Amino acid sequence: KRWHFHEFMLDTHQRLHKLKHDSERLRDEGDGLNPLTLVARDIARETGSLLCFDEFQVTDIGDAMILKQLVETILAEGTFIV
């Protein structure tokens, strides 16, 4: 899947916000996991084996902090990032 980086981060923030309000899913699937891990796994499943960014620029420190775990989890799920 090809994504513009800013759209990807907006989507990630929206998923995190939605998940915070979905206490049933957090209880059933979370098993003590950080909600960001669940979001990253969802993105990896939906993306398939390749995630392609047409640009990559991080200007927000909050995004930078989120990005580390997000990328690590997506890679651990078997998705390649270019």
Side-chain angles (χ1 to χ4, degrees):
K1 179 173 182 156
R2 184 175 180 184
W3 239 337
H4 184 73
F5 179 72
H6 294 290
E7 291 174 4
F8 172 78
M9 288 308 298
L10 179 62
D11 180 71
T12 299
H13 284 286
Q14 289 172 342
R15 289 173 189 244
L16 282 169
H17 181 74
K18 183 178 177 183
L19 187 57
K20 285 181 183 179
H21 298 288
D22 191 355
S23 57
E24 186 174 315
R25 180 170 181 217
L26 280 174
R27 186 185 65 243
D28 294 344
E29 296 178 38
D31 196 28
L33 295 175
N34 182 328
L36 187 55
T37 301
L38 292 175
V39 169
R41 286 180 178 173
D42 288 346
I43 290 170
R45 273 194 295 266
E46 293 167 14
T47 300
S49 60
L50 183 64
L51 174 58
C52 177
F53 292 114
D54 59 0
E55 75 173 53
F56 197 97
Q57 180 180 3
V58 183
T59 57
D60 183 297
I61 189 68
D63 285 348
M65 294 169 61
I66 288 172
L67 206 51
K68 178 183 184 294
Q69 183 179 354
L70 194 63
V71 168
E72 286 176 351
T73 304
I74 289 171
L75 292 174
E77 292 292 313
T79 299
F80 293 95
I81 299 174
V82 264

